[in-house]
Amino acid sequence: MKDYIKHDEWNIIEEGFDPKLNRISESLFSIGNGRMGQRANFEEQYSGDTLQGSYVAGVYYPDKTRVGWWKNGYPEYFAKVINSANWIGIDVEIEGEVLDLARCNVKEFRRTLNMRKGYLLREFSVITPSGKEVKVSAQRFCSIVDDQAGAIRYAITPVNFGGEVSVTPYVDFDVANEDSNYGEKFWSEVTKSVQEKEGWIEAKTDKLDFHVAVGMNYSLEIGNDIIEAPAQSKEKNKYLASTSSVYVPQGEELVVKKYAAIISSENHPKDDLIEVCKSELSRITSKGFDIMLKEQQAAWELKWEESDIKIEGDVSAQQGIRFNIFQLNQTYTGEDERLNIGPKGFTGEKYGGSTYWDTEAYCLPFYLSTADQNVARNLLLYRYKQLDKAIENAEKLGFTQGAALYPMVTMNGEECHNEWEITFEEIHRNGAIAYAIFDYVNYTGDQRYVVDHGLEVLIAIARFWSQRVNFSQEKQKYVILGVTGPNEYENNVNNNWYTNLIASWCMEYAVDMVEYVKNTDEDQFAQLVQKISFDENKEVTHWQAIVKDMYYPVDEKTGVFLQQDGYLDKEQVLVKDLEPKHLPINQKWSWDRILRSCFIKQADVLQGIYFLEDRFDLETLRRNFEFYEPRTVHESSLSPCVHSIQAALLGQKEKSYEMYLRTARLDLDDYNNDTEDGCHITSMAGTWMSVVKGFGGMRVKDGQLYFNPFIPDQWNSYSFKIRFREWLLKIIVAKDKVEIENRSESPITIFLSDKPLELHPLKTAMVNGH
């Protein structure tokens, strides 16, 4: 755990420059707008340790799979959202000396991510090797108003001298991915042109032929006066630049304003990219940096109005939740159903930037409550449109009759994860896809989605589960063998309790939805039956038989649901009894030792109880929580939020708060020593859930909202807003009261601590002594 980020309610602040922390900061201070993103690399040259990262949504490369032992069914590639053009670059020379923080004496350094207004600011003073003191202020943002554009204001001040300053803004497509399997570079140049202070370059990816055009334009100012300095253009393979040199008097500020347009063939015809790039560049340059920044701030103000959580009395907790919400909002906007949410978003290369089950299990609730209903619906449509690929994935593993296995990792619906224990065994991911449909319909009331799209997915998933089980003669039950559950510190186990539970639930839910659609829209149902050759009586009967006789491992002595067969054969050691030097075990222990241990990476049995909470009483939850949580090392970013929510439900306020802080500040404090690879974007939605579902106790039951809030002892109050169907509510929880404001023009009855409470239009209800 690290503690170098200054606590502040609205800003992420780093004071002083430590090169050993630079990669972590590059992740934390990343910026994006849903279409593209940029790690917090320096504009000027930096010869120290850095991970260059600029990413364009939807553009990826199928990097050839690299494994030691090829197995039938392996995907041929691992999809990676690849490093795109470096558009932020501005090389600086001070009277012939290259400005490079690795070679200068850094006197002052401050990096600030202003989350309220949506920009990154870096300020520093350095002494060059020749003794010249230079002060720099660099401000930049990826515009969420002009979402194909970025802008930079880079100001240089000679402090103890006057002299010539040369600046070289550039665009560089000659970039690499650090995680490339074979050391390949993924871009080839198509065309480029640079004239004076403006240039455009188009490149394409190998194999899949994605095209991206990047244009740049810059201006120079001293004292608000435009400087018409001559520019010398430079070109080399996949690179263009323009250099201008200006004499800058001592104490005066030279301001470089650089604009970039990043245009993708995902959004425009390839033949038009350069013209679109020129047009966009001209438009934003005419608008200017100051106007673009004002628009950025206004747009972020609207986002915060929808999704902010306000905490009084705990700056650390406040900073944590806002950082998580900020990253979620700049990663995914929901405007394009082709896009999804990668575990690292636009902040790093790890996990390939691809889609995992995290989206359905953790992210969907955040977007359901904080954005227009279509945003969440688009996340479901993303999976629906990839159903054919999910069926192909199942066929590759030997499944038939339209069974679908959704991928663990994907960009286009094809499985592209190349670790056998994940690709072949972590099949519980199918359950998250089905559960997301239930979650969406339960929250929005949009039953029509099931009719038009959802049922087809549910049947395909149920078909998979019905073929994946087998009947055990010994147990006289259906079993599921050779799986990996959510706890990836166990592989190739039999009867993972969570997998068996979610498989059974999927078939049960499919049966219910078959009946619903058949009774709601006979014609639509008949068309689907014909389309997918659905034998309702035979298949439904089989599913019901499996549900009735599914096997679930249980310890009869304690009543604890066993994570899998044989779990109690392991040596039972608690995390608190491990010496700190052993943690995190995924970095300190061999994989053999981990697999033989009882330690749990993330919620597994508890994940099932969380999803299907209404099926288990509090005593059952308590029994399992108190058994499994002490054995959980929380080395998955997805782990703390589920435990926080369940601890809240059990009245364990301190444990709930402890787990909340761990998820809220997971990256800010680098809990698991891996933030340098990128932030844990999908788990950030779990932070929101910890507050709203945990402390706020929000649930939706039978189409109605329930709240059962409490307030952590460390807080004075907290508040959050939610959208629920046609209503917008604001909930404020203080030590001695709860206020719920209905910001809509129609009444709604909610339940507060299981008691009905009518909320009148545009009125606030207050309940004292809660």
Side-chain angles (χ1 to χ4, degrees):
M1 178 176 170
K2 300 174 182 65
D3 187 23
Y4 73 97
I5 297 298
K6 305 299 179 185
H7 290 187
D8 184 277
E9 291 186 352
W10 278 108
N11 299 284
I12 308 302
I13 302 169
E14 175 188 19
E15 290 184 343
F17 182 58
D18 183 345
K20 295 189 298 293
L21 300 174
N22 187 50
R23 284 200 181 210
I24 298 172
S25 295
E26 287 178 339
S27 298
L28 294 177
F29 292 83
S30 296
I31 55 175
N33 62 13
R35 290 281 180 201
M36 62 181 186
Q38 173 67 52
R39 281 173 62 84
N41 309 119
F42 298 163
E43 289 86 359
E44 73 279 355
Q45 289 186 39
Y46 180 64
S47 58
D49 186 34
T50 180
L51 176 62
Q52 168 65 33
S54 177
Y55 311 101
V56 177
V59 176
Y60 69 99
Y61 184 82
D63 202 9
K64 185 179 177 182
T65 296
R66 185 168 191 164
V67 294
W69 178 18
W70 187 272
K71 300 174 180 65
N72 289 336
Y74 263 157
E76 295 182 358
Y77 66 90
F78 187 79
K80 295 176 177 177
V81 173
I82 56 176
N83 194 4
S84 187
N86 179 359
W87 61 270
I88 65 170
I90 304 174
D91 289 343
V92 179
E93 291 189 9
I94 310 296
E95 293 202 317
E97 285 185 290
V98 174
L99 180 60
D100 179 349
L101 267 64
R103 297 174 179 173
C104 294
N105 175 19
V106 181
K107 286 185 61 180
E108 296 177 348
F109 183 95
R110 181 182 174 95
R111 189 162 17 192
T112 304
L113 180 64
N114 188 314
M115 300 181 290
R116 189 170 201 164
K117 298 180 179 180
Y119 65 79
L120 171 63
L121 176 65
R122 184 169 56 99
E123 302 164 294
F124 63 87
S125 294
V126 297
I127 306 294
T128 70
S130 67
K132 296 180 176 63
E133 182 174 353
V134 180
K135 183 170 70 173
V136 172
S137 174
Q139 184 180 24
R140 72 174 184 244
F141 57 92
C142 294
S143 174
I144 60 173
V145 176
D146 305 300
D147 64 4
Q148 300 177 114
I152 303 170
R153 183 187 186 276
Y154 192 92
I156 308 160
T157 303
V159 176
N160 63 353
F161 70 99
E164 185 177 81
V165 176
S166 295
V167 294
T168 304
Y170 64 86
V171 175
D172 185 9
F173 261 111
D174 192 21
V175 294
N177 268 45
E178 194 171 76
D179 66 352
S180 171
N181 284 343
Y182 294 90
E184 295 177 274
K185 291 186 176 181
F186 303 138
W187 294 98
S188 298
E189 182 181 311
V190 176
T191 185
K192 65 174 177 282
S193 175
V194 57
Q195 299 172 354
E196 293 292 320
K197 298 183 178 71
E198 191 168 61
W200 310 271
I201 182 170
E202 179 181 344
K204 65 178 182 178
T205 65
D206 298 334
K207 294 186 180 179
L208 296 184
D209 199 38
F210 290 107
H211 286 229
V212 172
V214 179
M216 75 161 191
N217 183 304
Y218 71 96
S219 63
L220 305 175
E221 299 176 15
I222 296 180
N224 294 322
D225 294 328
I226 300 292
I227 304 299
E228 299 295 344
Q232 180 180 355
S233 61
K234 299 180 181 179
E235 295 184 28
K236 57 183 179 181
N237 186 38
K238 297 186 281 189
Y239 173 96
L240 61 80
S242 173
T243 299
S244 295
S245 298
V246 180
Y247 180 84
V248 184
Q250 180 177 350
E252 294 286 327
E253 184 180 65
L254 171 65
V255 176
V256 183
K257 292 181 179 177
K258 180 180 180 181
Y259 307 91
I262 296 91
I263 311 298
S264 166
S265 60
E266 284 291 270
N267 306 310
H268 303 279
K270 293 173 184 176
D271 292 343
D272 297 343
L273 285 192
I274 289 294
E275 290 306 313
V276 172
C277 186
K278 290 179 180 180
S279 176
E280 180 72 1
L281 191 60
S282 175
R283 189 179 65 81
I284 61 173
T285 303
S286 298
K287 188 184 290 189
F289 184 90
D290 293 340
I291 291 176
M292 288 182 71
L293 182 59
K294 286 180 181 178
E295 292 177 345
Q296 176 84 342
Q297 294 171 358
W300 270 104
E301 184 177 349
L302 291 176
K303 283 189 176 290
W304 286 115
E305 179 62 28
E306 291 179 337
S307 57
D308 189 26
I309 290 178
K310 186 174 183 180
I311 297 170
E312 298 284 357
D314 190 336
V315 175
S316 175
Q318 177 68 88
Q319 182 184 47
I321 188 64
R322 282 188 172 141
F323 176 69
N324 285 258
I325 293 170
F326 176 80
Q327 291 290 353
L328 285 164
N329 278 329
Q330 70 171 3
T331 298
Y332 181 75
T333 64
E335 296 173 3
D336 190 337
E337 65 193 35
R338 299 170 301 169
L339 301 179
N340 208 283
I341 308 153
K344 294 294 186 182
F346 295 120
T347 69
E349 298 176 4
K350 194 172 181 182
Y351 303 120
S354 305
T355 304
Y356 286 63
W357 69 289
D358 308 19
T359 293
E360 286 75 22
Y362 298 92
C363 296
L364 184 68
F366 170 78
Y367 293 105
L368 278 171
S369 294
T370 63
D372 183 83
Q373 178 176 315
N374 285 329
V375 172
R377 198 171 195 270
N378 278 345
L379 287 174
L380 268 62
L381 285 172
Y382 176 90
R383 295 293 194 177
Y384 173 74
K385 292 187 174 183
Q386 294 181 353
L387 176 57
D388 287 347
K389 293 289 188 181
I391 292 172
E392 287 180 18
N393 293 335
E395 288 174 347
K396 290 175 183 177
L397 301 185
F399 295 86
T400 60
Q401 297 176 321
L405 176 59
Y406 275 90
M408 187 67 182
V409 180
T410 193
M411 286 297 299
N412 64 358
E414 287 183 301
E415 177 62 75
C416 63
H417 199 292
N418 53 22
E419 294 174 331
W420 65 269
E421 67 272 18
I422 306 299
T423 304
F424 302 149
E425 294 195 342
E426 201 164 342
I427 55 176
H428 69 80
R429 59 195 188 249
N430 249 12
I433 309 302
Y435 187 83
I437 296 172
F438 164 80
D439 205 12
Y440 169 81
V441 172
N442 184 50
Y443 195 92
T444 65
D446 180 14
Q447 293 279 3
R448 190 68 207 180
Y449 182 82
V450 177
V451 178
D452 293 338
H453 306 292
L455 181 59
E456 188 175 353
V457 173
L458 294 172
I459 289 174
I461 289 174
R463 284 172 162 174
F464 170 83
W465 288 121
S466 69
Q467 295 177 44
R468 186 58 171 79
V469 303
N470 64 275
F471 189 76
S472 167
Q473 292 296 333
E474 179 183 346
K475 290 181 171 62
Q476 287 295 295
K477 295 283 186 181
Y478 286 95
V479 296
I480 304 180
L481 309 179
V483 302
T484 297
N487 171 26
E488 293 171 335
Y489 290 174
E490 302 274 8
N491 300 150
N492 201 36
V493 302
N494 294 334
N495 296 308
N496 171 257
W497 185 88
Y498 171 74
T499 302
N500 288 21
L501 177 72
I502 202 68
S504 180
W505 177 86
C506 286
M507 288 180 277
E508 187 178 342
Y509 185 49
V511 170
D512 291 344
M513 292 302 100
V514 164
E515 192 66 19
Y516 172 79
V517 174
K518 184 170 64 173
N519 293 333
T520 301
D521 192 329
E522 281 189 60
D523 291 341
Q524 185 86 352
F525 182 72
Q527 291 175 25
L528 180 60
V529 166
Q530 184 174 15
K531 176 184 178 182
I532 64 174
S533 301
F534 181 50
D535 187 335
E536 179 190 354
N537 183 59
K538 179 180 177 181
E539 296 191 62
V540 165
T541 300
H542 185 42
W543 300 343
Q544 290 172 327
I546 296 170
V547 170
K548 178 176 177 292
D549 286 324
M550 180 67 81
Y551 169 72
Y552 302 100
V554 179
D555 178 42
E556 299 298 338
K557 292 181 182 179
T558 62
V560 168
F561 302 143
L562 293 180
Q563 185 175 264
Q564 73 266 350
D565 287 347
Y567 179 77
L568 289 182
D569 292 337
K570 294 170 176 283
E571 182 183 5
Q572 296 298 314
V573 181
L574 305 185
V575 176
K576 69 179 180 62
D577 296 325
L578 279 178
E579 294 181 44
K581 68 181 181 180
H582 291 289
L583 297 172
I585 63 173
N586 64 10
Q587 297 174 24
K588 302 296 179 66
W589 284 11
S590 69
W591 194 243
D592 168 73
R593 189 177 182 185
I594 290 173
L595 290 176
R596 288 186 286 109
S597 79
C598 71
F599 296 120
I600 300 167
K601 181 181 180 184
Q602 67 189 80
D604 195 304
V605 167
L606 296 179
Q607 182 75 40
I609 298 176
Y610 163 71
F611 268 166
L612 304 181
E613 180 181 282
D614 290 344
R615 298 191 173 194
F616 305 99
D617 59 29
L618 275 182
E619 188 52 41
T620 300
L621 170 60
R622 188 184 314 279
R623 189 163 58 242
N624 284 277
F625 186 88
E626 292 180 353
F627 180 81
Y628 283 111
E629 197 284 326
R631 291 163 171 79
T632 303
V633 290
H634 302 294
E635 289 175 9
S636 165
S637 63
L638 303 174
S639 184
C641 68
V642 171
H643 291 84
S644 178
I645 293 166
Q646 291 181 329
L649 190 59
L650 292 170
Q652 298 182 15
K653 294 171 63 174
E654 282 304 312
K655 174 58 72 173
S656 182
Y657 180 74
E658 173 197 338
M659 291 290 102
Y660 162 78
L661 272 188
R662 181 151 184 165
T663 185
R665 299 194 64 85
L666 179 76
D667 289 312
L668 290 175
D669 295 336
D670 194 22
Y671 266 93
N672 291 337
N673 294 321
D674 59 0
T675 303
E676 64 181 29
D677 299 324
C679 295
H680 299 81
I681 303 300
T682 47
S683 72
M684 290 177 173
T687 308
W688 179 92
M689 290 197 301
S690 296
V691 175
V692 176
K693 290 189 171 187
F695 306 154
M698 188 186 84
R699 302 292 190 274
V700 177
K701 303 175 183 178
D702 299 322
Q704 292 187 292
L705 273 174
Y706 286 70
F707 295 94
N708 187 26
F710 79 89
I711 185 168
D713 294 338
Q714 295 84 349
W715 299 359
N716 298 325
S717 69
Y718 65 96
S719 64
F720 58 89
K721 303 182 192 74
I722 62 159
R723 292 186 180 199
F724 178 68
R725 302 186 182 183
E726 63 186 274
W727 295 280
L728 175 62
L729 307 178
K730 181 177 181 180
I731 296 86
I732 305 172
V733 182
K735 299 281 190 186
D736 58 348
K737 64 183 177 180
V738 176
E739 297 178 44
I740 303 182
E741 178 186 350
N742 181 4
R743 295 189 168 189
S744 307
E745 297 184 354
S746 58
I748 181 175
T749 297
I750 60 107
F751 288 79
L752 183 63
S753 300
D754 293 323
K755 296 179 181 178
L757 178 65
E758 185 175 0
L759 302 176
H760 298 289
L762 306 176
K763 299 289 184 180
T764 300
M766 182 185 301
V767 178
N768 292 313
H770 184 78

